[in-house]
Amino acid sequence: MPYTPDFERLLTPGARFEDGTAVHVIEAHPAGEVVLPTGRLVGCDPLVCPESDPYTVAVAPGRYPARAWVSSVRRDGDETDRRVAALEVVVRDEPVSRWEMAVVDGQDISELGPDGFFGYGVDAGTGTLADRDALAVIEDWDYDRIEEVFIAGDGGSAPGPVPGLVDAVVDEATGANVVAVWSGWGDGCYGTWIGRDADDRVARFVTDFMVVPVED
């Protein structure tokens, strides 16, 4: 079977697990709202790949709450690190009945091997779920502007409970923004899943930054 995150632990405030060296405690924190002028959501590293393709499942244009799921890493009872375990966009605040992998055009889940998944590459330690039109704006930005908005602004150690959180409005006309966070342990490949409610409506998009392991 393809890889599926352990959503019960990943999306449960107060969930605890050990990784052999430390205890992780999951926290949920608001991360603003994601403005979607088109409803075509993209998962990507906005610092290096804003031209990424949107997922095949779209939602109605609008403003949707974002939530960061953060792992408080503790050793001997003291917090020694914080890592973003997941980034979530809440489309409908309803319980999830089933999860499906988010894909872009040309990706076929049936072709995946055991524990395989489709994801986006991260090369600058940052991830986002943003509207295609918002990311199209920053495609033309030079590095200095990217650095000013997404790197220099956090001072190297973002204040607040969510590591690397930046909420940047990139199109004043539509309000389209890019909500970015630091991606788990850093660079890698990270997949996004779509949760659907009992009526099969899209309830949320969740990018798993591979901090929470799946139990055997």
Side-chain angles (χ1 to χ4, degrees), residues 3-26:
Y3 170 77
T4 300
D6 185 342
F7 289 108
E8 185 172 347
R9 287 199 294 174
L10 181 61
L11 305 182
T12 300
R16 302 171 69 94
F17 66 93
E18 297 186 31
D19 65 2
T21 64
V23 175
H24 296 247
V25 181
I26 298 298

Side-chain angles (χ1 to χ4, degrees), residues 40-64:
R40 298 180 301 161
L41 205 64
V42 176
C44 71
D45 180 339
L47 278 66
V48 294
C49 294
E51 72 282 0
S52 300
D53 293 331
Y55 296 122
T56 55
V57 174
V59 298
R63 306 175 66 96
Y64 298 99

Side-chain angles (χ1 to χ4, degrees), residues 3 9 13-14 16 21 31 50 53 55 58 63 85 90 93 123 144 149 156 158 166 181 215:
Y3 170 77
R9 287 199 294 174
R16 302 171 69 94
T21 64
D53 293 331
Y55 296 122
R63 306 175 66 96
V90 181
D93 194 12
D123 292 315
D144 287 344
V149 172
V166 174
V181 296
E215 288 186 315

Side-chain angles (χ1 to χ4, degrees), residues 190-204:
Y190 301 110
T192 299
W193 279 260
I194 300 168
R196 293 184 180 271
D197 67 13
D199 294 320
D200 211 38
R201 300 174 300 179
V202 174
R204 61 204 66 210

